[in-house]
Amino acid sequence: MSGSATETSRAARFDALYRADIDPWNFRTSGYERDKYAATLAALPRARCRHALEVGCSIGELTRRLRERAEAVLGLDVSRVAVAEARRVHGNVPGLRFEAAELPADWPAGTFDLIVLSEVLYFLEPEEIDATAHRVAGALEPGGHCIAVCWTGENDSTLDGNGAAARFAEAFTGLGAGRIE
């Protein structure tokens, strides 16, 4: 991984969104987001993990909370603007790192015992979801866990949250990689 997302229409669209409003979904103040973070943390199968990856970290609010449960956390987002804000706000937290990356192409090196796909799958095209499942399967340590969090309301993507999660789960389990939480 080069540490920065290639400039694509998706990256440009999200950069523009974050330039217009650095917290476009009210990650810092929304009750929905607060409840989602709590539910995500409650779903973690272990109290602690060694090395976590959050895909779709945005401005780092969930990533910071994951750091309380992991020795080290890498947060990835397609938006350089969001990653810069995450670094600005949370950059002084030891063991917490943020990188711009467009997945599945810019997948990071290394392995993880926890991978969280945080409301990102439905922004991918079906074949990108399949490729992401392959990347996750290859990067997940034996005994590791993958948690997919998806918005299930309406969106303007090819697949809604339920469809994207189902496609990912089918591709992931089809690889013999385990099951999705």
Side-chain angles (χ1 to χ4, degrees):
M1 185 178 75
S2 65
S4 65
T6 10
E7 188 62 36
T8 64
S9 61
R10 182 182 294 139
R13 181 169 47 106
F14 279 96
D15 281 348
L17 179 73
Y18 283 99
R19 275 191 208 96
D21 180 352
I22 199 61
D23 189 1
W25 287 282
N26 301 310
F27 295 115
R28 295 176 175 142
T29 59
S30 162
Y32 165 80
E33 294 297 333
R34 184 177 49 252
D35 292 347
K36 179 184 73 176
Y37 301 152
T40 302
L41 294 171
L44 298 181
R46 293 190 302 243
R48 297 282 303 159
C49 66
R50 190 180 58 73
H51 195 198
L53 171 66
E54 182 193 8
V55 178
C57 72
S58 181
I59 58 175
E61 295 300 306
L62 177 58
T63 323
R64 181 179 49 78
R65 288 166 176 83
L66 287 168
R67 173 58 184 92
E68 296 168 7
R69 304 275 300 269
E71 293 174 32
V73 182
L74 171 59
L76 301 179
D77 200 274
V78 69
S79 171
R80 290 181 183 95
V81 176
V83 166
E85 177 69 359
R87 288 176 179 158
R88 184 188 72 77
V89 174
H90 309 292
N92 64 339
V93 177
L96 193 56
R97 197 165 50 100
F98 298 95
E99 297 292 336
E102 183 155 359
L103 301 183
D106 294 333
W107 191 264
T111 60
F112 306 90
D113 55 341
L114 174 65
I115 298 175
V116 177
L117 301 164
S118 186
E119 294 201 47
V120 68
L121 290 174
Y122 48 86
F123 290 113
L124 302 177
E125 293 300 319
E127 62 277 1
E128 292 175 311
I129 294 171
D130 297 344
T132 298
H134 281 80
R135 297 286 196 165
V136 169
L140 199 59
E141 294 176 357
H145 295 90
C146 177
I147 296 177
V149 179
C150 289
W151 165 258
T152 58
E154 290 185 33
N155 67 44
D156 61 355
S157 298
T158 303
L159 295 173
D160 64 12
N162 288 327
R167 175 129 187 173
F168 179 84
E170 182 179 335
F172 186 80
T173 57
L175 296 167
R179 66 184 189 92
I180 299 297
E181 302 290 334

